[in-house]
Amino acid sequence: MTRTYSDAVAALNTLQSNAAAIDAVRKAGKNMNLRSIPEMIEWCRRAGYEPADFDRLKPIHIAGTKGKGSTSAFLSSILTQYLPSPSQPNPLFNKIGLYTSPHLRFVRERIRINNEPLSEELFAKYFFETWDKLEESARTYGEPTDKTAKPSYFRFLTVMAFHTYIREGVDTAIIECGVGGEYDPTNVILNPSATGITSLGIDHVQLLGNTIEEIAWHKAGIMKKGAPAYTVAQLPAAQGVLERRAVEKSVHLTTVQNNPLLQSIALGLSAPFQHSNASLAIMLASAHLQSLSYPLPSLFPSTLPQEFIRGLEQVRWPGRCEIRHEKGISWHLDSGHTLESIQLAASWFASEVTSQLPPTPPLDSSFPQQALPSPSPPKPNHKFPRILLFNQQTRDAPSLARALFSTLSTSLNTPHPFTHAVFCTNLTFRDSGYRPDLISMNTDAQKVQALEVQKGLQDAWRELDADCKVEVKGSIEEAVGWVRGISEEEGQGEEVKCLVTGSVHLVGGFLEVFEGGEMVG
């Protein structure tokens, strides 16, 4: 067997669970949770590590329902401003690690150093080092060295990430939870410098519970005695759970309000809701620097160091509130896939639409103010194309689509937020299928082939807006081609806006098509 990046991705994909296995895990629920951390500790030991070994990474641990990735990206961008550079003559770090999930296009995006994904060569190197250690351990125990000698996909990548960061001599590792917190595979961390919990909502109910209180309990599991914890404003029920668990764990919990200085900073992630994530990242960065006895301005956080400002401005996180342009189309990409994140994506898209509409006419001062009706937001031109490209394969897709429709209808003051909508699968290309990095086995292949979810979305959207032209496509490639056709036929030479949202897999597949993948004619 050769040991290239492609070989590593192919081997890694054998560790994915299929749809039936994932369904069994969901049904097992809390019983599976209870075994998670002991099993993960054993996998780390088989790879040659004790949890205490990860203390040398001075980790920062982040959990939450939405905003985890953005907060982690802001934090990494801030801390990398303290790397050696012409603007930093007294560097504090040489390497900052960032471990996140899922990935957009390449699995190596999950394991970053200094904001850059591992190279294909390094990914393959550390993948097979981890793979070999686990097989060697299995032989020592007289066990087979087949798939059973390795943990599941996410657990393997987590062990590999820790191994990579230790071998690379990373000074600080920012570790984002996968699902939950208390029983998440990343929660083998013993002594983080700080922990952060982003905005909470309902998601992964089979594993975490179907109430906000249960979910908050799980997320609070990353809090550790001796490490300050930070969170953003939460629903009262969730906030109460976080505060009680902080007391139980003897942890000082701070609820972070939006930093007003962000109003004058051009954030690299510019949507208004990102202020919450950026504010949390500021406090996590400050706590980490203080744990290293690094001085901050006396008026912090009312005054921010230049490193913080540069980091906030320079952050990049593809697929989140991102706009890509081509002739005749502006593609608005957001990988939101929960109820709350879909609503935020809709609000962001609405702000992009209304920012280019003519302003509301000024009130006529010759009439008494109280005699005039309150002005409504300007209505966008319903005739000019505005397109939705949507997919969500594993969650309650119609509910997410309805939330998207409701938010946009209200924000745009129109019952017709889109003139066209296309619902597709996560299949990247019509003829060649998935790029290996984008293969996902946690969906029902028969349902995908039959376009079952997409047809359900089509029916749901037609009930919401009978005037909208709705299509179903079998691949992302075909959906992108259909949007381009609408732009050519009806765009009138102007730029058509298309919102691409609903899942990380969709946005990643879209970028694969957009950035030079094959296209059907």
Side-chain angles (χ1 to χ4, degrees):
M1 178 182 180
T2 58
R3 297 199 155 199
T4 65
Y5 175 70
S6 296
D7 297 324
V9 172
L12 178 64
N13 282 341
T14 67
L15 304 181
Q16 286 197 48
S17 302
N18 61 28
I22 288 177
D23 187 55
V25 170
R26 288 169 176 161
K27 289 176 180 176
K30 295 178 181 178
N31 292 329
M32 290 291 292
N33 277 338
L34 294 175
R35 300 195 297 270
S36 177
I37 296 303
E39 289 174 355
M40 188 62 186
I41 290 173
E42 179 61 22
W43 288 120
C44 291
R45 286 173 175 160
R46 289 186 173 221
Y49 299 103
E50 292 291 335
D53 293 331
F54 307 141
D55 290 353
R56 73 182 78 171
L57 299 176
K58 298 179 176 61
I60 305 169
H61 207 182
I62 298 177
T65 305
K66 57 183 184 289
K68 291 182 299 180
S70 297
T71 300
S72 299
F74 275 121
L75 178 56
S76 180
S77 186
I78 291 171
L79 294 183
T80 51
Q81 302 305 314
Y82 292 88
L83 298 174
S85 72
S87 61
Q88 186 54 262
N90 300 305
L92 184 59
F93 308 113
N94 286 307
K95 292 182 179 181
I96 300 294
L98 174 60
Y99 178 59
T100 60
S101 61
H103 58 277
L104 276 177
R105 296 180 64 196
F106 310 103
V107 68
R108 57 193 178 87
E109 296 166 15
R110 297 182 182 223
I111 305 175
R112 295 173 183 257
I113 296 177
N114 295 346
N115 297 321
E116 294 296 326
L118 284 187
S119 66
E120 291 188 356
E121 292 75 17
L122 279 181
F123 186 95
K125 170 183 168 66
Y126 293 125
F127 176 91
F128 283 110
E129 285 183 2
T130 306
W131 188 271
D132 291 345
K133 283 188 176 185
L134 294 172
E135 290 197 345
E136 180 181 346
S137 177
R139 281 191 288 269
T140 300
Y141 285 99
E143 299 169 353
T145 58
D146 58 8
K147 179 180 174 179
T148 61
K150 294 93 181 176
S152 60
Y153 187 95
F154 182 75
R155 289 182 180 186
F156 183 96
L157 283 171
T158 302
V159 175
M160 177 186 161
F162 286 133
H163 172 66
T164 300
Y165 292 149
I166 287 176
R167 287 292 304 272
E168 283 290 309
V170 161
D171 301 293
T172 289
I174 300 160
I175 306 295
E176 178 198 20
C177 284
V179 175
E182 178 75 28
Y183 303 116
D184 187 78
T186 64
N187 206 27
V188 293
I189 293 171
L190 299 177
N191 294 297
S193 66
T195 60
I197 299 175
T198 65
S199 184
L200 300 181
I202 304 296
D203 196 22
H204 299 293
V205 295
Q206 295 90 345
L207 293 174
L208 306 182
N210 55 14
T211 68
I212 195 69
E213 293 91 343
E214 290 175 294
I215 288 170
W217 185 91
H218 279 276
K219 306 295 183 180
I222 67 168
M223 295 181 189
K224 301 293 191 302
K225 186 176 181 179
Y230 297 87
T231 189
V232 298
Q234 307 284 359
L235 293 171
Q239 185 71 28
V241 173
L242 295 181
E243 291 175 356
R244 287 192 294 275
R245 292 216 73 194
V247 171
E248 293 168 2
K249 291 171 171 284
S250 301
V251 168
H252 180 71
L253 174 65
T254 300
T255 300
V256 178
Q257 304 301 320
N258 283 3
N259 191 314
L261 295 179
L262 297 180
Q263 299 293 339
S264 58
I265 296 175
L267 296 180
L269 302 176
S270 59
F273 68 82
Q274 292 288 1
H275 284 212
S276 172
N277 299 324
S279 299
L280 180 57
I282 287 170
M283 297 310 296
L284 289 169
S286 69
H288 185 67
L289 293 177
Q290 288 173 325
S291 76
L292 302 175
S293 301
Y294 189 88
L296 291 170
S298 58
L299 296 179
F300 182 91
S302 298
T303 300
L304 295 180
Q306 284 302 308
E307 289 89 348
F308 280 52
I309 294 172
R310 284 199 304 271
L312 294 168
E313 291 177 338
Q314 294 175 10
V315 64
R316 296 293 179 266
W317 200 237
R320 197 71 172 117
C321 299
E322 181 181 12
I323 301 176
R324 297 288 187 104
H325 295 274
E326 65 176 72
K327 183 179 179 181
I329 308 175
S330 62
W331 302 94
H332 292 65
L333 315 178
D334 193 277
S335 55
H337 52 276
T338 66
L339 181 63
E340 292 84 0
S341 59
I342 281 287
Q343 291 169 330
L344 291 173
S347 297
W348 165 69
F349 182 68
S351 69
E352 291 293 320
V353 171
T354 55
S355 68
Q356 298 183 23
L357 294 174
T360 304
L363 296 175
D364 188 340
S365 59
S366 63
F367 290 92
Q369 180 74 32
Q370 63 271 23
L372 294 172
S374 299
S376 298
K379 290 188 177 183
N381 179 3
H382 174 52
K383 294 181 181 179
F384 187 75
R386 188 182 309 110
I387 307 172
L388 170 66
L389 199 171
F390 186 92
N391 171 265
Q392 174 48 246
Q393 199 69 38
T394 58
R395 290 172 171 82
D396 185 355
S399 293
L400 295 180
R402 292 186 191 101
L404 178 71
F405 179 89
S406 176
T407 302
L408 277 169
S409 293
T410 301
S411 300
L412 296 175
N413 188 32
T414 175
H416 310 293
F418 296 102
T419 58
H420 303 74
V422 56
F423 301 102
C424 66
T425 71
N426 285 333
L427 186 71
T428 314
F429 300 111
R430 185 188 69 181
D431 296 329
S432 58
Y434 297 97
R435 176 189 177 88
D437 296 73
L438 298 177
I439 289 175
S440 176
M441 297 179 183
N442 65 353
T443 55
D444 188 316
Q446 289 184 333
K447 289 183 178 180
V448 172
Q449 189 171 6
L451 303 177
E452 184 175 310
V453 173
Q454 289 65 43
K455 290 174 181 176
L457 283 165
Q458 181 182 50
D459 293 341
W461 200 267
R462 282 174 173 164
E463 290 179 8
L464 294 168
D465 185 0
D467 290 349
C468 184
K469 298 177 182 177
V470 184
E471 281 283 328
V472 165
K473 296 295 182 182
S475 68
I476 298 169
E477 176 189 34
E478 291 169 285
V480 169
W482 184 78
V483 173
R484 286 171 171 163
I486 298 299
S487 172
E488 292 176 5
E489 294 171 11
E490 304 180 31
Q492 305 165 30
E494 298 184 35
E495 194 172 64
V496 171
K497 286 182 168 57
C498 178
L499 174 62
V500 182
T501 193
S503 79
V504 176
H505 300 290
L506 170 64
V507 174
F510 167 84
L511 289 171
E512 183 68 14
V513 172
F514 182 84
E515 295 189 359
E518 59 194 91
M519 278 294 296
V520 296

